[in-house]
Each structure stands twice: as structure tokens, then as C-alpha cells.
Amino acid sequence: MRRAIVSPQVQAVGLQCLACPTRRSAEWGVLRDRDMQALSAAKSSRTYRKGEMVYAQDQACPGLFCIASGTAAVARTEPRLPTVLVRMAQSGETFGYGNVVRGGMCDTSAKVLEPSVICRIELPILATLFDQHPRLVQRFQSRLAEDLARTESALAQLAWLPVRSRLARLIMSLAEYRGTANGRGVLSLTLPMTRRDMADLLCTRPETLTRTMQAMESDGIVRCNGHQVDIPDPERLHEAAQAQHLG
Amino acid sequence: MRRAIVSPQVQAVGLQCLACPTRRSAEWGVLRDRDMQALSAAKSSRTYRKGEMVYAQDQACPGLFCIASGTAAVARTEPRLPTVLVRMAQSGETFGYGNVVRGGMCDTSAKVLEPSVICRIELPILATLFDQHPRLVQRFQSRLAEDLARTESALAQLAWLPVRSRLARLIMSLAEYRGTANGRGVLSLTLPMTRRDMADLLCTRPETLTRTMQAMESDGIVRCNGHQVDIPDPERLHEAAQAQHLG
DNA sequence: CGTCACTTTGAACATCTTCAAAGCACGTGG
DNA sequence: CCACGTGCTTTGAAGATGTTCAAAGTGACG
């Protein structure tokens, strides 16, 4: 049995929302400094290890989560079907609002893809915030509409694009966040997740992912070394992201 | 060029919301009779022919729509990719709320699958309603969360179920609405759409749909005659809806 | 420093798409 | 009321894409 005492890697950390590098981003941007400070005092935050669950499907919703640093993913498991990672959340992004709206039961789970620090705002605190700040409610409603649009888009891409194109798009979107211009204009990137997570995100099998990655490497589109990925020619990656057949 | 004058099949109809068979359903159920009456006077409604567009992607949102009778579908078209029908809307269901939240630009289109009567509430009227009825806003937010959950579910099923299972599920869900118990307990059903629409809904090709349908027929799971479908043994249809391999 | 999960490899196979062409059906206009 | 055309439906054959299963590496982490 796991000990109740948190290990050195899993510790509560006292983050100040006002000092959060992502405080202006998205939903929370509508709060004034004093509200931010109140939020800061009321929330809790802690580190998560790679692969750790943030919340689990069919359990009571523990609140709303906001990523201070790291990467998480929201997963959906249909009865008798393998799990799908339906969306990723990166630094500064909030997730878990759907569960809040639904009244507190989780219809998804969430897990951490790389070591992360994540803040949690419990339901009662949230309720107070929403009462006092109608604009915050609006923001989160917009976020819900945005998530819906993105999921529809993912559905269309899953339907019509081969794994190769979907993988190219995933790499592009990751590079947008964390790509760094290497020597001689080579774009470089550290993948924030395992191959298995990438497979779950692309809705394919780990074996297929490996082979597709190697195919792209032998085509000179990417150069891989563990979680390190180099993109010699972004334009060619962009080509690979397009549909090949388009009936 | 098409004539500007509406044809006899496309006419404005004066529907009373209070008399609508679906008035208690879902979102609008929170309105009292007098608000219903006001809504009734402010909305417009008309008939649509099979295949007709209700609203189009990348255009200004013409308002919120509610189906009095018939069937419609929301479609998403990604650049350079075939269109996907991301959800269906049947009698009594409201659609187009995402566009309203987003501030009035459509990121989807909607088309009618079978001859329908659809009501439209324009944005200014909606804004007034939402101001006066916070619970209505809540209802539509819940609806957004529900749509998100359903789309995630569709994504997972598209990822892991073969066409045969997805088709079985579509037929089951249609039968739930409009199935009638035939003689000797045979479930019977009239499909409210073309094969092409079914293919777009299942994210496959019309050819594949035809062949899959025939395979199920020769297995005795369904009996087809045009848009007429008989289900001799619902239990066997339910089996066909399950995954076969489950790795 | 051992363990367990992740990753990779290989070969056989299932599923679905693609392309081309013929048949059909419905609504339109004469 | 019938003829016509356009789009939907079906059929066939070939081939691409991805899965499955088994087993051997590999590596990260505690």
C-alpha cells in the first residue's frame, strides 16, 4: 500500500496566481487583482508525476484544474473500448469545466503526461466566484463552445486523415508551443509525452505510431532521438499534414 | 438561377410554441406560459425541403433553431477534407447554440435530412430572453456540455469500432425514436435520411455503407427495402453494435 | 540495480478506400 | 402526364492502410 505521506516529488506548493506566468491567459484574465488574490488563497496546488491521474471517470468532480507547468490530457473511456485522449492541456490552460457544469460527476478522466504542477479550485469556491463574476461564467461558456469545435474538428481529421498526417499535425502543434530554433534554422522540440500517449491521442496503436514515425524519419521529414525531435524543413512537415488522396 | 419567390413546398407557417408537442422538452421547459407566448410571437418558422441548408459555415449566425418536425444535421467541413455530419437533431431539439456563444459567426453548417418544419429565434430576441431568464442560459450551457460529451463519445467510437458496429448503433438510436412494433414483435423503422447522409454521419463512404448494410441483411440482422428497415431480433442488432476484437 | 512498462520488430490479415461504370429514383420542366 | 436529367445507389476489382499477436529490446524510475 502507498504511504499517506506524500513523497518528495509529490508536494503541495504555494503558488501565487498573481505571479503565475499565465495569469492573463484565457478565462482568468477577466478577474481583477484583488479577486485573483482571493482565488490564490483559496486554491490548492501540487506536483504530479508522469502518468498520475488528476481525476477519474465516474467519480465526484474534485473541482476545476489549471496547469501552472507541465502537460495533462483529458481521456474518455467508452464501455468495452480502449481509452482515447480527447484533448491536451498545457501550461496556463484550465480543464475539467464540463464536469462542473454537469453538476459534479466526471464523465472523463484526466492524467498527467509529464511532471506537472497543477492548481485546483474546489466547487464551493468556484460557485462563489461565478456568482460574483458573470463575465467569468461567460468566459467558461465560450471555452466549452471552443472545446466542442475543436473536438468536432478532431473527429473530422480522424475520419479522413491517415495516421501520418495526424502525426504531422500533432508534431506541428507541439512545435508551436515548445519548438526552439536550433542552429541553421532547424526547428527542435522535446515531446512532452510517451509514444503510447501519442498513440492514444492520435487514436492508433503504438506499433503503428512507431512505424509511421520511422517512415517520416526515413523520408527526412523529422529526425528523432528519444523524445527529441528535429524538423529540418517545416514546409515538408506541413505537406505531410495534408490529405494525400482527397476523394 | 433559382427564383426568389418561395415555392409551395417552402412556406412560412405560424406555429404556436405553447401548442408545440415538444414544448416541455429540454431547454425551453424552464419558460413560463407567458414567456412562451412572447417567444412564439417573436420567432419565425418555415418548411424546409430535403437537403436544404439551414445555415452555412463562415456566414453570420442567423439565430437559434428549433425543430418542430423533421430531422436536421450539423455538419463540419475542415479545409480540404470531406464534410462530416457531427450530430443529428430531431423533433423538439434546438441547434445552433455554439454559433450564438461564439458571437455570431458559424463554424458549422446545418442541413435538413428530410422535409422539416423549423423555427428560428433571431439573436436580439435571444439576448432579451437570456437577460430575463438566467436559468435558460444555464440550460443551454448544460446543452453545450452534453454536446461536447456526445462528440467525444462519437470520436471514441469512430476510432475503435468498425463501420458495421457504428451502423448498428445508428440504426438502434433511430429505432429508439421512431421504431414501431410491427406484427409478431418485429421492430420496424423508416430511415429519415439518404444513404449518403448516413455515410457522412458514420464517417465512411457510400460504397462501404451499401456493402455493410447488405452484409448485415444477409446475416439476418436487418431486412431493408429502400428507407424501410425491419429488425427481426433487436438482441442480434445489439450484438453487432459491440466491438468484435477489443485488443 | 532490478522491475515493469514502454518501445520496437516481424508477418499475416482484416477493413476500408479508391476508381470506374452501370442502374435507379426522384423532382423538374415541358 | 410523361420525358429527362441530375444526384443517389449499387456493383466490381485492386490496392492502401492499419490492426493483431507474439516476442524481443530498451529505458526510466523508484
Side-chain angles (χ1 to χ4, degrees):
Chain A
M1 206 203 296
R2 191 171 290 283
R3 290 203 293 166
I5 302 173
V6 292
S7 84
Q9 278 88 354
V10 181
Q11 52 196 191
V13 290
L15 287 181
Q16 293 302 319
C17 294
L18 278 172
C20 190
T22 60
R23 66 172 284 231
R24 281 282 163 234
S25 83
E27 295 82 14
W28 306 110
V30 302
L31 294 185
R32 287 156 308 185
D33 283 9
R34 50 186 301 262
D35 300 315
M36 240 2 195
Q37 208 130 29
L39 173 60
S40 197
K43 77 166 171 45
S44 60
S45 59
R46 74 170 184 85
T47 63
Y48 288 80
R49 286 178 295 196
K50 194 201 308 186
E52 204 172 341
M53 279 288 177
V54 181
Y55 60 81
Q57 205 160 330
D58 300 321
Q59 298 205 347
C61 168
L64 193 57
F65 297 89
C66 188
I67 303 189
S69 71
T71 310
V74 174
R76 174 169 290 262
T77 307
E78 290 289 306
R80 277 178 295 273
L81 255 46
T83 294
V84 167
L85 299 184
V86 291
R87 66 182 147 274
M88 230 169 49
Q90 316 207 47
S91 292
E93 291 185 304
T94 303
F95 64 92
Y97 185 64
N99 299 324
V100 176
V101 171
R102 195 169 307 96
M105 279 307 275
C106 297
D107 68 339
T108 54
S109 59
K111 76 168 192 174
V112 161
L113 303 186
E114 65 175 349
S116 303
V117 178
I118 302 180
C119 300
R120 174 162 73 104
I121 302 116
E122 291 172 54
L123 293 181
I125 299 168
L126 261 186
T128 309
L129 269 175
F130 286 150
D131 271 350
Q132 293 167 356
H133 302 279
R135 289 199 55 204
L136 195 60
V137 178
Q138 267 181 28
R139 281 299 194 100
F140 275 105
Q141 186 175 35
S142 296
R143 171 59 194 280
L144 220 39
E146 200 181 294
D147 281 350
L148 177 59
R150 265 208 251 279
T151 307
E152 287 170 1
S153 173
L155 184 72
Q157 295 180 36
L158 174 61
W160 301 121
L161 293 176
V163 172
R164 184 187 172 96
S165 302
R166 306 208 302 275
L167 174 56
R169 286 173 188 225
L170 175 58
I171 293 174
M172 283 174 62
S173 80
L174 288 172
E176 203 168 312
Y177 254 89
R178 38 189 105 225
T180 61
N182 220 355
R184 291 189 301 285
V186 172
L187 200 55
S188 198
L189 162 72
T190 302
L191 298 175
M193 66 191 88
T194 67
R195 307 282 154 138
R196 166 150 269 288
D197 289 333
M198 290 180 72
D200 290 346
L201 217 39
L202 297 176
C203 295
T204 188
R205 295 296 179 181
E207 299 94 317
T208 304
L209 182 71
T210 293
R211 289 189 254 259
T212 306
M213 204 100 189
Q214 288 172 347
M216 287 179 64
E217 182 155 24
S218 78
D219 287 354
I221 294 174
V222 292
R223 230 170 307 128
C224 304
N225 187 1
H227 284 196
Q228 201 61 219
V229 175
D230 287 356
I231 305 167
D233 183 353
E235 184 49 42
R236 293 200 58 203
L237 182 59
H238 185 267
E239 277 171 32
Q242 304 308 310
Q244 319 297 350
H245 288 279
L246 75 137
Chain B
M1 207 204 294
R2 193 171 289 283
R3 291 202 292 167
I5 302 174
V6 292
S7 83
Q9 280 88 354
V10 181
Q11 50 197 189
V13 288
L15 287 182
Q16 293 302 318
C17 294
L18 277 173
C20 191
T22 61
R23 67 172 283 228
R24 282 283 162 234
S25 84
E27 295 81 14
W28 306 110
V30 302
L31 293 186
R32 287 156 307 183
D33 283 7
R34 49 186 303 262
D35 300 315
M36 247 349 201
Q37 207 131 31
L39 172 59
S40 197
K43 75 166 172 45
S44 61
S45 60
R46 73 171 184 85
T47 64
Y48 289 79
R49 286 178 295 194
K50 194 201 306 187
E52 204 172 340
M53 279 289 177
V54 181
Y55 60 80
Q57 206 161 329
D58 299 321
Q59 298 206 346
C61 168
L64 194 56
F65 296 89
C66 188
I67 303 189
S69 71
T71 310
V74 174
R76 173 169 291 263
T77 308
E78 291 288 305
R80 277 178 293 274
L81 256 46
T83 294
V84 167
L85 299 184
V86 291
R87 65 182 148 274
M88 229 170 47
Q90 316 209 47
S91 293
E93 291 185 305
T94 303
F95 63 92
Y97 185 64
N99 300 323
V100 175
V101 171
R102 196 170 305 96
M105 280 307 275
C106 297
D107 68 338
T108 53
S109 59
K111 77 169 189 173
V112 161
L113 303 187
E114 65 176 348
S116 304
V117 178
I118 301 180
C119 301
R120 174 163 73 105
I121 302 116
E122 291 171 53
L123 293 182
I125 299 168
L126 262 186
T128 309
L129 269 176
F130 286 150
D131 271 350
Q132 294 169 356
H133 302 279
R135 289 198 54 203
L136 196 60
V137 178
Q138 268 181 26
R139 281 296 193 102
F140 275 104
Q141 185 173 10
S142 297
R143 171 58 194 280
L144 220 39
E146 199 181 294
D147 282 349
L148 177 59
R150 266 208 252 280
T151 308
E152 287 170 2
S153 172
L155 184 73
Q157 295 180 36
L158 174 61
W160 301 121
L161 292 176
V163 173
R164 184 186 173 97
S165 303
R166 306 208 302 275
L167 174 56
R169 285 171 189 228
L170 175 59
I171 293 175
M172 283 174 61
S173 79
L174 289 172
E176 204 169 311
Y177 254 89
R178 39 187 106 225
T180 60
N182 220 354
R184 292 189 299 285
V186 173
L187 199 55
S188 198
L189 161 73
T190 302
L191 298 174
M193 66 191 88
T194 67
R195 307 282 155 136
R196 168 150 267 290
D197 289 333
M198 290 180 73
D200 289 347
L201 216 40
L202 297 176
C203 296
T204 187
R205 295 296 180 181
E207 298 94 318
T208 304
L209 183 69
T210 292
R211 289 189 252 259
T212 306
M213 203 100 189
Q214 288 172 346
M216 287 179 64
E217 182 155 25
S218 79
D219 286 353
I221 294 174
V222 292
R223 230 169 308 128
C224 304
N225 187 3
H227 284 195
Q228 202 60 221
V229 176
D230 287 357
I231 305 167
D233 184 355
E235 185 48 42
R236 294 200 56 202
L237 183 59
H238 185 267
E239 278 171 30
Q242 303 309 310
Q244 320 297 350
H245 288 280
L246 76 137

